[in-house]
C-alpha cells in the first residue's frame, strides 16, 4: 500500500505500420510521487496521441476535442 500507479493508452505496431494490439502503459511510483506520475502519463499521452474520445459520449458544455 502507499504506492501509486497511472495507466495511459498505448498501441503496439507491426513492421508495416498497422496497429496490431491496443494496450496500456502503467507508470509505477514510490510513495509521495503521484504528481510526478501524472506529469509522466500526461506527457506520454501528449507525445503518442493514442487516447481516443469515445464515439458515443458527447463533450460537456465548454469542452472541445480535436
Amino acid at each position: 500500500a502507499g504506492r501509486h500507479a497511472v495507466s495511459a493508452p498505448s498501441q503496439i505496431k507491426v513492421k508495416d505500420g498497422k496497429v496490431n494490439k491496443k494496450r496500456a502503459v502503467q507508470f509505477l511510483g514510490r510513495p509521495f510521487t503521484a504528481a510526478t506520475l501524472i506529469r509522466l502519463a500526461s506527457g506520454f499521452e501528449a507525445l503518442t496521441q493514442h487516447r481516443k474520445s469515445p464515439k458515443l459520449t458527447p463533450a460537456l458544455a465548454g469542452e472541445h476535442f480535436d
Side-chain angles (χ1 to χ4, degrees):
R3 307 262 179 218
H4 298 284
V6 177
S7 296
S10 182
Q11 295 176 344
I12 298 173
K13 296 184 178 185
V14 294
K15 287 185 179 181
D16 62 1
K18 294 182 181 177
V19 175
N20 186 20
K21 301 276 184 179
K22 292 185 179 183
R23 301 279 187 224
V25 172
Q26 191 170 44
F27 297 92
L28 304 173
R30 296 178 179 164
F32 308 106
T33 60
T36 301
L37 290 175
I38 292 169
R39 283 194 301 272
L40 286 170
S42 176
F44 180 82
E45 286 188 6
L47 182 66
T48 60
Q49 298 182 356
H50 288 161
R51 180 173 294 282
K52 304 292 181 214
S53 297
K55 294 178 183 179
L56 300 177
T57 304
L60 298 174
E63 286 186 321
H64 300 282
F65 296 106
D66 298 324

